[in-house]
Amino acid sequence: MATPAEISEQVQLEREQIRQGMQKLHKNTRELEAKDYASASVYGVSSVETLIPLVSKRIERTNDRIQERKVGALFKEIHQFLAPIEPEAAAAIAAKVTFDTVFSVNPKKSQVQHVTDSIGHAIENECLMRHYEATCPGLLNVLKENYWHHSIGTAQKVKVITTLLHRYDVEQWKCWGRRVRIHLGGWLLDCICEQSQWFDIEMRQEGRKRQNYVVPTPEFLAIKDEVMATAELFSPLAWPMLIEPNDWSSERPGGYLLNEVMRGHDMVRRGNPTCIQGETPIEFLNKIQKVAYRLNPFIVEVAETLLEKGIAVGKFIPIVEVPLPPKPVDIAENYDSRKDYRRRTAEVMNTNAQAFRRSCRTRMTMNAIEVFKKRDKFFIPWSFDYRGRAYPIPAFLTPQDTDFGKSLLRFYHESYMTPEAEEWLAFQVATTYGLDKAPMDERLEWVTHNHRLISQIAQDPLETISEWETAEEPWQFLAACDEYYHCVIECDRQHTGLMVATDATCSGLQILAGLARDASTAALVNVLPSDRPQDAYKVIAEAARPHVPASIQPYIDRKVTKRTVMTVPYNAKPFSNRSYIRDALKEKGVEINKDDLTATVAAVREAMNRVVPGPMAVMRWIEAEVAQAIKAGSKELTWTTPSGFAVYQKLMKKDVKEIELQLLGRCKVSVSVGDKNEVDLAHHKNATAPNLIHSLDASLLHLSTLRFDAPIALIHDSVLCRATDMGILSTLVRETYMHLFAEHDYLTDWAQQIGAKSEPPIIDTLEPQSVIESTYFFC
């Protein structure tokens, strides 16, 4: 029970989170305006999204009038320049540039002539890039791969690409000229002003001259203030808590103490607020919120040293700022020297800007460490997604962080070492090193043979960086080496608080095998006992190999099939399978043509029908029954999981047109506000099987956690606990799976909940008792 002083301290911390969050929101907005990127601000993004469809429709109406010859002479002159791009693309560019210039901190940027010229220039740059995309796509692609991401800002990207293209014998772009750009930009600005009523032209007397400026109207400023006020409600930083979070209930919000006032976090994210959740999932959520953590001082010290030295390891990326080159002595009078200096300076500035972006998460994590490293313990508030999976509300210092972030955490309540705990610590060392597919005996044997390496890493991590940075999860491997060295080798630490993780083997197929009661698939994904971990990816690769084109057969292995096999249970379609297989083959240095790729994807999917028949049949049945339910008039699908979590799946069609811009990237352009009053049948068919699987793996962990009486953390379908408790937790998870699937027929229950018209395809060969004995169910 928290004391009044502790509660007061937590309230002060949350107020500080609110203060810093609002400060960060407004600081980011000011910085974006200073960089002429107001369109990327909170108010800019929402406003541009609203503006694009309005301006797009206006352009379309004008195009229709062209066909009827009802436009004036001015538009006839500029139409040829606007014609090469779609109305949505032109509207997106014009809206973005308008916000960037009008809300720039430099007042001259909002002069009418500058705004219109900027819009016309941006349209021309887009047409320029499309011209080269059409005339020399191969060359342009090579130049983009080598230079595009090294350039900062669209203007520099265009300058770099056009400069390089001038060195080749290709059809060069013919510049439009400023007059055309201003006419074109002026017409688009008129469209924006007319359709939105957000901007007006204001004449100002400046000395003897009068200048016209584009200014936001009072109506828009009111909208902007409202958007920013709403954003402030969601701006507080999310940190761990110094005391246990408030319990969630159906009547009142939990988590942060001020959440009841702020209403910044819901118990179920993106859920239906009218759904009443069962007692079991709420009890589960409140239980995992009471787990106390502390920072790992060993990892914190290593991270602070590497930050100071500017050394990156894995996901830990400090800022390494390259100094600007010295100015040459003859820079004032030597043109070549001046040009060379500018080029080298631009390269350094680009490098530093990219390094700053890459280091963002590391910097934010280190800031959080500063807040909590002197704290004895802290807690993490959690919430559900709409399928029942648990997620930490804070973004940093949680079990669902990056490899570096996870390595920072230890359970506050540690346990006395046991012989079984020694094996689980060895398991964590070997697994994080990269032996996650090896049998248990091989993992333990590897650790026994590498005591010297583990000791060296634990005693001097800075001098042995080259030894541990190559591990699959380097920071968690480092933390495991430290724990194993002190608890097992040196024996100067009698208690352990390291988080040991075990993960489901191909979780989607495990759940589907349980639903179908398919023993053959269950054996392939380690639901049934075996001497060594089974590898469904490898088995499917071997089954597919004889049926793929002969030139590809030597390269088909588990790596090539893994992502396809892993994602098919989540309704991945052949189109995404193609990219997974093509990318995997490319890593092996193998290029595959279109026809061979089609044949390979078909062979892998057909192999899955033969090797895992139960799951594939269940997925086809789910898709068919969902289609029937929606066609019969259902607006949404709802079901209750075995733990009592109420899943609400409502997927309505949105009128969205996707456009591809060369410089601004891919944009999703909404041409109507909100959802249509029409159910999205295709989305329901694709989403239901994955959501059912996620809701059931969540339910499995809800029920297992409530039976487990020790600190526990969760990562989707993975569980983390102390080494002394993993044997118990593994048994509880297997027993719960057995009760859910082998002893009960949940698929039939689910069929009744959605009103299915046919019987589910249950093979019914899975024996309940055999699940309990599986060593590698979670490993």
Side-chain angles (χ1 to χ4, degrees):
M1 186 73 178
T3 65
E6 289 173 332
I7 293 173
S8 177
E9 187 179 21
Q10 175 60 34
V11 170
Q12 286 301 114
L13 181 65
E14 292 185 25
R15 285 177 175 164
E16 178 63 13
Q17 291 172 216
I18 293 170
R19 186 190 70 79
Q20 287 197 25
M22 292 178 63
Q23 187 180 58
K24 183 179 178 183
L25 170 68
H26 291 288
K27 178 173 179 283
N28 288 345
T29 302
R30 289 193 302 271
E31 288 179 349
L32 288 167
E33 290 173 346
K35 294 176 181 177
D36 297 342
Y37 285 136
S39 61
S41 66
V42 171
Y43 70 85
V45 169
S46 62
S47 301
V48 168
E49 285 182 354
T50 303
L51 191 55
I52 289 173
L54 300 176
V55 178
S56 172
K57 287 182 179 178
R58 166 65 190 275
I59 297 172
E60 288 176 356
R61 287 199 302 270
T62 305
N63 287 336
D64 291 339
R65 291 178 66 200
I66 292 172
Q67 304 301 323
E68 301 169 6
R69 299 186 178 184
K70 293 181 180 179
V71 293
L74 175 61
F75 190 79
K76 285 181 180 178
E77 182 182 354
I78 63 173
H79 169 64
Q80 60 180 313
F81 300 101
L82 191 61
I85 62 175
E86 311 84 5
E88 294 83 6
I93 293 170
K96 179 187 183 304
V97 174
T98 299
F99 272 82
D100 289 342
T101 52
V102 171
F103 293 98
S104 171
V105 295
N106 183 351
K108 291 188 180 299
K109 296 285 182 73
S110 62
Q111 289 180 357
V112 170
Q113 203 167 33
H114 185 275
V115 175
T116 55
D117 187 33
S118 297
I119 293 173
H121 212 102
I123 296 287
E124 181 180 15
N125 284 339
E126 178 68 23
C127 292
L128 175 149
M129 295 302 297
R130 293 188 181 199
H131 165 76
Y132 287 123
E133 183 73 40
T135 56
C136 53
L139 175 60
L140 181 62
N141 187 54
V142 170
L143 294 178
K144 279 186 175 182
E145 286 183 358
N146 292 330
Y147 299 99
W148 191 262
H149 297 293
H150 300 295
S151 303
I152 303 301
T154 56
Q156 189 177 9
K157 283 180 167 66
V158 172
K159 183 67 175 176
V160 168
I161 293 297
T162 53
T163 300
L164 292 169
L165 282 167
H166 282 148
R167 300 175 184 175
Y168 297 90
D169 183 21
V170 297
E171 183 184 345
Q172 299 299 327
W173 173 258
K174 295 178 182 178
C175 293
W176 290 352
R178 192 161 188 259
R179 188 181 69 85
V180 169
R181 292 198 301 266
I182 288 177
H183 282 179
L184 178 58
W187 183 79
L188 287 169
L189 179 61
D190 282 344
C191 290
I192 289 172
C193 294
E194 179 184 321
Q195 293 300 310
S196 66
Q197 303 298 310
W198 287 350
F199 301 99
D200 206 347
I201 307 299
E202 179 182 283
M203 182 180 291
R204 300 174 186 171
Q205 187 74 37
E206 297 177 350
R208 294 184 177 182
K209 293 184 178 180
R210 293 181 179 180
Q211 291 285 357
N212 289 326
Y213 287 83
V214 183
V215 295
T217 61
E219 291 79 8
F220 178 76
L221 292 177
I223 293 171
K224 178 187 173 187
D225 290 342
E226 184 180 345
V227 170
M228 292 300 291
T230 303
E232 287 177 355
L233 296 176
F234 298 94
S235 68
L237 302 179
W239 288 340
M241 296 179 64
L242 304 177
I243 61 175
E244 290 182 5
N246 279 345
D247 283 348
W248 296 93
S249 73
S250 298
E251 292 76 34
R252 56 183 296 182
Y256 293 111
L257 302 189
L258 298 181
N259 191 34
E260 191 168 4
V261 178
M262 297 292 294
R263 292 281 178 172
H265 305 283
D266 296 323
M267 181 172 68
V268 181
R269 308 179 191 188
R270 294 171 53 204
N272 181 357
T274 64
C275 278
I276 304 299
Q277 299 299 338
E279 293 182 5
T280 297
I282 296 176
E283 184 183 351
F284 153 82
L285 196 63
N286 292 331
K287 180 173 182 175
I288 62 175
Q289 289 193 143
K290 291 178 172 57
V291 175
Y293 301 87
R294 70 183 181 94
L295 288 176
N296 186 329
F298 172 72
I299 297 295
V300 169
E301 183 180 355
V302 173
E304 289 178 334
T305 305
L306 294 186
L307 183 71
E308 184 180 340
K309 293 178 177 292
I311 299 174
V313 176
K315 297 294 184 181
F316 178 85
I317 307 173
I319 298 178
V320 182
E321 187 161 333
V322 181
L324 294 176
K327 289 185 178 180
V329 293
D330 60 345
I331 189 171
E333 60 275 1
N334 190 326
Y335 171 79
D336 291 336
S337 178
R338 186 163 58 249
K339 183 178 179 181
D340 178 66
Y341 171 74
R342 287 174 176 172
R343 179 186 58 77
R344 289 186 290 117
T345 301
E347 289 176 356
V348 170
M349 293 176 70
N350 289 343
T351 299
N352 288 339
Q354 290 169 29
F356 188 81
R357 285 201 298 266
R358 287 197 301 269
S359 68
C360 178
R361 187 164 189 88
T362 298
R363 285 184 283 111
M364 296 182 76
T365 301
M366 296 305 292
N367 289 341
I369 288 173
E370 281 300 311
V371 176
F372 289 93
K373 72 177 182 179
K374 294 181 181 178
R375 302 291 182 176
D376 185 41
K377 61 182 175 180
F378 56 84
F379 300 84
I380 297 173
W382 295 71
S383 61
F384 292 117
D385 75 356
Y386 69 100
R387 300 159 307 188
R389 280 188 162 184
Y391 289 85
I393 294 175
F396 305 99
L397 305 184
T398 78
Q400 295 187 14
D401 208 332
T402 63
D403 168 54
F404 169 58
K406 284 184 275 194
S407 73
L408 290 163
L409 295 184
R410 294 175 63 85
F411 290 117
Y412 172 75
H413 294 290
E414 302 196 349
S415 55
Y416 192 78
M417 283 294 298
T418 63
E420 183 187 19
E422 293 184 10
E423 290 193 352
W424 281 109
L425 285 180
F427 165 90
Q428 180 71 2
V429 172
T431 301
T432 54
Y433 181 73
L435 302 178
D436 52 319
K437 300 304 176 191
M440 194 70 73
D441 291 345
E442 287 185 20
R443 300 189 210 191
L444 302 182
E445 186 179 353
W446 183 89
V447 172
T448 301
H449 290 161
N450 284 278
H451 273 200
R452 183 179 177 184
L453 172 65
I454 294 168
S455 300
Q456 289 174 338
I457 291 172
Q459 291 173 303
D460 198 347
L462 298 179
E463 289 299 319
T464 55
I465 289 177
S466 60
E467 299 290 346
W468 57 271
E469 70 175 349
T470 57
E472 189 167 312
E473 298 173 297
W475 285 95
Q476 290 179 82
F477 175 65
L478 177 63
C481 285
D482 172 69
E483 192 83 347
Y484 188 83
Y485 170 73
H486 288 288
C487 290
V488 180
I489 300 175
E490 194 66 16
C491 295
D492 57 355
R493 189 183 293 168
Q494 303 301 316
H495 294 80
T496 178
L498 184 77
M499 295 195 301
V500 176
T502 57
D503 197 2
T505 305
C506 203
S507 173
L509 286 178
Q510 283 184 335
I511 297 295
L512 289 171
L515 289 173
R517 290 186 173 181
D518 178 2
S520 63
T521 299
L524 275 179
V525 289
N526 298 308
V527 171
L528 299 181
S530 60
D531 296 333
R532 58 185 298 118
Q534 298 301 301
D535 192 343
Y537 310 125
K538 181 180 178 181
V539 173
I540 290 170
E542 291 173 349
R545 188 179 295 123
H547 305 282
V548 304
S551 60
I552 304 300
Q553 288 181 10
Y555 307 102
I556 293 294
D557 58 15
R558 73 180 307 276
K559 276 193 170 183
V560 174
T561 61
K562 180 177 180 179
R563 290 193 70 187
T564 296
V565 175
M566 185 187 297
T567 56
V568 163
Y570 300 102
N571 240 334
K573 299 303 181 186
F575 179 78
S576 59
N577 299 160
R578 292 174 68 87
S579 62
Y580 298 152
I581 291 173
R582 182 177 56 244
D583 292 346
L585 288 171
K586 194 171 183 178
E587 287 182 11
K588 295 173 176 285
V590 179
E591 294 290 340
I592 185 170
N593 64 46
K594 182 179 178 181
D595 293 338
D596 285 353
L597 182 58
T598 300
T600 302
V601 169
V604 173
R605 293 181 71 94
E606 182 54 36
M608 290 189 70
N609 283 321
R610 297 194 305 272
V611 176
V612 288
M616 299 300 282
V618 168
M619 289 182 61
R620 287 192 295 270
W621 174 82
I622 289 174
E623 194 166 313
E625 289 298 334
V626 166
Q628 284 198 28
I630 299 300
K631 289 175 181 177
S634 296
K635 292 283 188 181
E636 66 274 328
L637 294 178
T638 59
W639 64 88
T640 302
T641 69
S643 68
F645 187 88
V647 179
Y648 178 80
Q649 179 178 291
K650 182 178 181 180
L651 303 169
M652 307 300 285
K653 281 188 177 179
K654 293 182 182 292
D655 196 353
V656 173
K657 182 170 182 179
E658 195 169 284
I659 60 173
E660 189 82 33
L661 298 178
Q662 292 289 327
L663 289 171
L664 301 183
R666 178 169 293 178
C667 303
K668 282 190 174 178
V669 181
S670 296
V671 295
S672 65
V673 179
D675 295 331
K676 285 183 174 181
N677 189 27
E678 185 179 345
V679 180
D680 193 335
L681 173 60
H683 197 175
H684 269 291
K685 288 169 64 178
N686 291 333
T688 304
N691 286 341
L692 176 60
I693 291 170
H694 289 319
S695 71
L696 290 175
D697 65 37
S699 191
L700 172 66
L701 296 185
H702 297 171
L703 297 169
S704 301
T705 298
L706 289 176
R707 296 177 61 199
F708 183 61
D709 191 22
I712 185 173
L714 308 162
I715 309 175
H716 309 319
D717 54 2
S718 174
V719 291
L720 304 90
C721 68
R722 301 174 305 199
T724 52
D725 309 313
M726 186 54 80
I728 297 171
L729 181 56
S730 297
T731 299
L732 288 175
V733 171
R734 290 195 298 268
E735 287 179 353
T736 306
Y737 180 96
M738 179 191 73
H739 295 314
L740 285 183
F741 300 115
E743 291 183 349
H744 296 91
D745 180 8
Y746 179 75
L747 191 57
T748 298
D749 293 343
W750 185 82
Q752 293 170 353
Q753 291 186 61
I754 68 161
K757 304 300 182 185
S758 62
E759 293 294 320
I762 297 173
I763 295 177
D764 207 19
T765 55
L766 186 62
E767 294 293 331
Q769 63 274 15
S770 57
V771 178
I772 301 295
E773 302 164 8
S774 174
T775 305
Y776 300 106
F777 180 63
F778 267 63
C779 66

